[in-house]
Amino acid sequence: MYSCIWIEGEEALMKFCQKHFKDKPCFCETTGHCGTATIHMIYKCRDENDTRKGFAQMFFLYMEHSNGKYYYTDIEKIERWTYEQIRADRSSIVKR
């Protein structure tokens, strides 16, 4: 089983990785790794009603975890979530 989380912004990603992995993420283009997590950087279009227009820099982290609730086949579906779906997810770390 897998565990996954969405994080908005590079600063929040760095804080998360330092707290959970005691390490900094290493990237090659848009794919990175930190500890046991694989990270994908994806730009998501913000909602029309959001005061901050344009795109949000999002980081999608996933890793194998004994308490994970997703199968590997779910990872691709979650990665395609819209910005609104990500904000609605309680486990996501997004700017409010």
Side-chain angles (χ1 to χ4, degrees), residues 18 27-28 37 39 44 47 52 54-55 59 61-62 70-71 75 79-80 83 85 90:
Q18 278 296 330
F27 277 88
C28 181
I39 308 167
K44 296 286 184 175
D47 185 15
R52 301 169 296 149
F55 291 85
F59 295 94
L61 286 78
Y62 63 94
Y70 301 107
Y71 292 103
I75 299 297
E79 197 169 18
R80 290 187 179 144
Y83 187 71
Q85 288 174 303
R90 293 185 318 153

Side-chain angles (χ1 to χ4, degrees), residues 1-66:
M1 299 294 281
Y2 283 81
S3 179
C4 56
I5 186 170
W6 280 100
I7 300 175
E8 182 176 2
E10 192 171 341
E11 185 178 327
L13 173 70
M14 294 300 177
K15 287 180 183 177
F16 181 87
C17 288
Q18 278 296 330
K19 181 179 178 183
H20 294 279
F21 302 113
K22 309 284 189 266
D23 200 5
K24 293 180 181 179
C26 297
F27 277 88
C28 181
E29 298 290 331
T30 59
T31 303
H33 296 279
C34 187
T36 58
T38 300
I39 308 167
H40 291 180
M41 181 182 68
I42 304 167
Y43 286 93
K44 296 286 184 175
C45 186
R46 289 192 174 107
D47 185 15
E48 293 176 2
N49 300 330
D50 196 330
T51 56
R52 301 169 296 149
K53 301 291 182 196
F55 291 85
Q57 183 184 37
M58 304 297 297
F59 295 94
F60 179 63
L61 286 78
Y62 63 94
M63 68 194 103
E64 285 191 63
H65 196 276
S66 58

